[in-house]
Amino acid sequence: MELRHLRSFAVLAEERHFGRAAERLHLAQPALSQQVKQLERELGVELFTRTTRRVDLTEAGTRFVGHTRAVLGDVDRARDDMAALASGHAGRVSVGFVGTATYDVLPRVAQEVRRELPGVELELRGELLSPQLVAGLADRTYDLALLRPPEPGLGARTLRTERLVAVLPAQHPLAGRRRISLAALKDEAFVMHPSGHRSSIHARVLEACASAGFQPASVLEASETATLVVFVAAGLGVALVPEPVRSLGLEGVAYVALTDAPTIDLALAARADASPAARQVAAIVERCV
């Protein structure tokens, strides 16, 4: 059973006139008649009664109209769905966010994708460390990843450079200052992201402290940025975090700018075989950042 025969039948069923149906189908009338006869032979029933004046549906033809509309409707929906997939307006996209990008970037990306690409199924994972994100791109867990800083050879694109700010307990003597030097915190315990290769911010904070002439006397580690800020609120130490962490809005802490503030980059990386939908989402991420 050929789709062209079904389309010819559907149009003839609407027009009830071979001439008008042939004109709509851009066919010669004898070709249309031949197609209908082939379909009737294949089905083993007559679909139309033909007179010199009228073309009417038989009982079988009336029943077959419903089947034909369902089949053609499915074909059209399948074609539209594949076109949407090819253009990036449908599909599934998984995006991982480094911890500090979770708070300001993730909500905006979710809103914009929902508004611009309602046919895309978006999976978002936040509060991750850069090595987890790099591994997730490699094993296809993530299509896109916001991480810091770009890994060599990863092909990541730097989207913005963020200043680090000090996070102090609300009752800290320096909490009311508008700006402080990092050296003013040389005697404080620090709350930091995990050491080693697990967090790029850990290394950046130690580097900034060394540039300020000291090494933190003691360090308490926290994997998630929100937990890190809660530890500061509890008086367990001070911390340095990228400025967007202010949007967390947790009570009990003060964010204080640093003179000659150290910076850290936020970058976007994508799988080499990113789908059209992933590329569309990546463009939205870049705009949001």
Side-chain angles (χ1 to χ4, degrees), residues 3 6 46 76 115 130 183 225 277:
L3 283 176
L6 295 181
E46 285 193 353
D76 289 342
R115 184 177 66 84
S130 290
T225 305

Side-chain angles (χ1 to χ4, degrees), residues 17-34:
H17 189 280
F18 273 95
R20 291 194 298 271
E23 186 176 351
R24 275 182 58 184
L25 292 163
H26 305 289
L27 288 174
Q29 191 169 322
L32 173 59
S33 180
Q34 186 63 31

Side-chain angles (χ1 to χ4, degrees), residues 26-236:
H26 305 289
L27 288 174
Q29 191 169 322
L32 173 59
S33 180
Q34 186 63 31
Q35 286 188 13
V36 172
K37 288 178 181 178
Q38 289 175 356
L39 185 59
E40 289 176 324
R41 282 197 299 270
E42 186 173 355
L43 295 172
V45 295
E46 285 193 353
L47 299 172
F48 297 96
T49 58
R50 305 159 176 84
T51 68
T52 54
R53 294 187 177 184
R54 291 179 59 83
V55 176
D56 287 317
L57 287 165
T58 63
E59 180 183 0
T62 300
R63 289 174 65 89
F64 195 60
V65 165
H67 295 305
T68 300
R69 287 174 177 167
V71 170
L72 295 178
D74 285 343
V75 169
D76 289 342
R77 282 188 291 274
R79 181 188 295 110
D80 291 345
D81 186 54
M82 292 301 99
L85 192 69
S87 67
H89 288 77
R92 177 185 170 277
V93 180
S94 178
V95 189
F97 293 78
V98 73
T100 50
T102 302
Y103 314 118
D104 68 325
V105 180
L106 189 154
R108 291 204 298 272
V109 169
Q111 292 169 3
E112 288 302 304
V113 171
R114 189 163 54 244
R115 184 177 66 84
E116 294 186 30
L117 303 171
V120 170
E121 179 187 351
L122 192 62
E123 181 180 303
L124 304 175
R125 286 284 307 279
E127 280 290 5
L128 298 169
L129 299 173
S130 290
Q132 291 174 293
L133 292 166
V134 173
L137 288 171
D139 66 17
R140 308 177 71 86
T141 299
Y142 306 115
D143 301 294
L144 305 170
L146 266 83
L147 41 73
R148 60 173 97 231
E151 296 279 334
L154 190 62
R157 176 179 176 181
T158 298
L159 299 184
R160 71 184 181 196
T161 298
E162 300 170 349
R163 290 189 297 269
L164 298 185
V165 298
V167 189
L168 310 178
Q171 304 305 317
H172 192 283
L174 299 176
R177 300 282 186 88
R178 185 175 180 183
R179 191 179 300 271
I180 61 173
S181 68
L182 182 52
L185 303 177
K186 63 184 178 64
D187 297 324
E188 302 285 349
F190 271 70
V191 184
M192 298 172 62
H193 288 85
S195 56
H197 296 292
R198 297 175 60 197
S199 169
S200 54
I201 290 188
H202 183 101
R204 186 70 187 96
V205 170
L206 289 182
E207 181 184 311
C209 291
S211 296
F214 72 96
Q215 180 178 348
S218 64
V219 172
L220 175 64
E221 294 185 355
S223 295
E224 296 185 352
T225 305
T227 303
L228 181 150
V229 176
V230 168
F231 283 179
V232 173
L236 300 179

